[in-house]
Amino acid sequence: MGSIRNSRRAFLAATGCLAATAGCTGWILGSKPSFDELAADAPVSVDWAHEEVEPNEESVESRSMKNTAVQFQPRRVGDTIVFGTGERVVAVDPDDGSVRWRYVDEGFLTSRPVRHDGSLIVGGDRLTALSERTGDVVWTVELDTDSSGRPRETGGIGATTDSLFVGYQLPRGGDSLAEPGLVRVDADDREIVDRYDELQTVQAPPATDDEFAVAVDGNVNYATSRKAPPSVTAYDSGGHLYWRYEFEHPHTRIGPVLTSSRVFAASHGHGFDGGSVVAIDRESGDVEWRAERDIGPSTRTALSLTDDLVTFLDGENHLVALERDTGDEVWTVDLAYYDVHDERHGSHRTVQTPVVDGDRGYCTVLGALFAIDLAAGEVEWAYADEETPFAGRPLADDERLFVPSGTSFFALSV
């Protein structure tokens, strides 16, 4: 088990400020508080922090992008909290951080664990099902290989009743562009049964429920040599194409959100130029509304929903709220573009979509944690650990927040 650190308050000084854009509900331009002021009022204490060792050098060296701080959103599984790093999945006791079980992969994990039929499905260069109770390997499925014989890597996994939809990440080479970007694995037979050529690279988890799966496709690096325009595509549980909507902008890494009546999805343009959020009727595939918004390539994960709002972080660290039924902008909060940590890790520079807990949203931006009043469009407080940047989406669970970082996993009382 990693070391457990007692509660510490680490409110860091930083230049910069937070504000709402002019003309929107929220803070008035010119009266915005500093990070210091927000941090001084943060009702936060650290219950425990679990430290994980660095990924093994062999797995890191095998990848062209040596990101040693890959983090997946934590999730509650029974009486444990499960989180992932670049090579392992760890289940801990939510009360004290003690390890219930730990799985270490032989390669490198690239997809957040997905629950299905008593197992946690994780992806990397293959699919692996872990027992939720013990972390033991239940089964594995070998994935497709690229033109050089190396396994394709997963970019996201979604589970329906009968199927696992597995997105492949960016192809390794130009000759891989003809290969499918999405496959369907039969959950009973545990083998690939369908490959979908209409998608090229899927880097965000598909949105799924028992009977429906929606995947988004697109990436800037291959925008000039695509088989088809980037899209959001819906399938039934058996893998049959339901409908397809083609984006006007060249790529996306933002996961869709599926409700009982709609699909919400987003795309973005080159650099910070262009982008849109769309609401699509789930059954017909008709677009109900589309909101144009510049969304930069650093934005990842999924949109977030409340009963009234669609929220997301754009590529310039603006937290944006749109009216859920119309797409009209309700407010925008500017999370100033600065680091509260001197070290610049690529993983914590990635903009993370807020996690919604009632009328409050929590998000990590540039290493710090922000709590946002979603009804008012205001930041309530900010918090940063003095030693390590936060990186990844938190989990709001009862009165605790579970927040990953590059090397640690925090339980915060709020």
Side-chain angles (χ1 to χ4, degrees):
M1 161 181 156
S3 64
I4 304 298
R5 288 173 285 181
N6 293 325
S7 173
R8 22 174 217 184
R9 295 171 64 87
F11 303 135
L12 304 181
T15 59
C17 50
L18 305 166
T21 57
C24 299
T25 301
W27 298 341
I28 299 172
L29 195 65
S31 64
K32 47 197 178 182
S34 68
F35 185 88
D36 255 355
E37 292 169 319
L38 289 168
D41 294 329
V44 180
S45 61
V46 179
D47 288 349
W48 50 261
H50 172 83
E51 295 181 356
E52 276 294 311
V53 299
E54 293 291 326
N56 67 65
E57 290 300 319
E58 183 179 352
S59 67
V60 173
E61 290 295 332
S62 68
R63 293 177 56 83
S64 58
M65 299 298 290
K66 299 177 183 178
N67 182 358
T68 62
V70 174
Q71 292 289 344
F72 307 122
Q73 182 182 357
R75 65 188 317 150
R76 177 174 276 278
V77 179
D79 62 350
T80 63
I81 301 296
V82 176
F83 67 96
T85 70
E87 63 163 3
R88 62 192 61 206
V89 180
V90 185
V92 297
D93 186 304
D95 293 326
D96 61 13
S98 59
V99 174
R100 298 283 183 81
W101 56 259
R102 178 188 286 110
Y103 165 76
V104 181
D105 195 77
E106 296 177 356
F108 202 90
L109 300 177
T110 55
S111 294
R112 175 191 175 200
V114 172
R115 299 186 74 180
H116 186 268
D117 194 26
S119 296
L120 287 171
I121 316 299
V122 295
D125 55 8
R126 65 186 181 281
L127 289 188
T128 303
L130 307 175
S131 166
E132 290 185 355
R133 186 175 60 85
T134 66
D136 294 334
V137 175
V138 180
W139 52 259
T140 61
V141 171
E142 298 300 319
L143 299 175
D144 292 329
T145 58
D146 64 15
S147 58
S148 65
R150 293 176 296 188
R152 301 284 298 276
E153 292 178 356
T154 58
I157 304 169
T160 65
T161 301
D162 305 319
S163 304
L164 299 170
F165 288 83
V166 182
Y168 287 141
Q169 290 197 78
L170 183 69
R172 295 177 188 269
D175 58 351
S176 296
L177 292 174
E179 298 178 1
L182 183 75
V183 298
R184 183 174 71 90
V185 175
D186 185 284
D188 294 323
D189 295 338
R190 297 163 189 167
E191 61 181 17
I192 297 175
V193 291
D194 287 314
R195 293 172 173 84
Y196 301 98
D197 291 331
E198 62 265 22
L199 286 85
Q200 179 171 285
T201 174
V202 177
Q203 300 191 89
T208 56
D209 57 22
D210 286 348
E211 303 298 333
F212 212 68
V214 181
V216 294
D217 169 47
N219 188 276
V220 65
N221 291 347
Y222 293 93
T224 59
S225 54
R226 302 187 56 84
K227 303 186 299 293
S231 66
V232 52
T233 306
Y235 305 90
D236 64 21
S237 182
H240 301 104
L241 180 66
Y242 223 72
W243 49 258
R244 176 182 173 88
Y245 167 77
E246 294 182 355
F247 288 119
E248 295 180 3
H249 303 288
H251 59 285
T252 183
R253 289 182 281 182
I254 305 170
V257 178
L258 177 63
T259 72
S260 60
S261 61
R262 288 175 175 157
V263 174
F264 296 89
S267 65
H268 52 88
H270 293 290
F272 295 93
D273 183 19
S276 64
V277 180
V278 294
I280 302 173
D281 182 272
R282 169 178 168 141
E283 292 301 317
S284 67
D286 295 334
V287 174
E288 296 186 357
W289 55 257
R290 179 172 58 244
E292 298 299 318
R293 183 79 191 197
D294 290 344
I295 303 175
S298 61
T299 303
R300 303 200 70 163
T301 69
L303 305 167
S304 295
L305 299 183
T306 71
D307 291 340
D308 303 311
L309 303 174
V310 180
T311 65
F312 61 95
L313 278 156
D314 69 16
E316 296 183 342
N317 290 342
H318 299 120
L319 178 62
V320 183
L322 307 179
E323 213 287 320
R324 181 165 164 168
D325 288 334
T326 65
D328 295 335
E329 185 168 322
V330 179
W331 49 254
T332 295
V333 171
D334 181 13
L335 302 177
Y337 198 82
Y338 63 86
D339 288 323
V340 297
H341 291 270
D342 292 333
E343 296 182 56
R344 291 180 171 267
H345 301 290
S347 60
H348 83 255
R349 288 202 304 273
T350 299
V351 177
Q352 299 289 343
T353 306
V355 169
V356 174
D357 183 27
D359 288 330
R360 179 181 285 168
Y362 298 100
C363 60
T364 60
V365 181
L366 300 169
L369 174 70
F370 295 89
I372 302 100
D373 183 328
L374 297 176
E378 296 179 351
V379 175
E380 296 181 2
W381 49 261
Y383 175 82
D385 182 75
E386 62 189 355
E387 295 180 9
T388 180
F390 296 130
R393 301 183 77 199
L395 168 67
D397 188 76
D398 297 327
E399 295 184 357
R400 279 196 183 104
L401 276 179
F402 297 95
V403 187
S405 76
T407 58
S408 301
F409 184 73
F410 291 82
L412 307 178
S413 287
V414 296

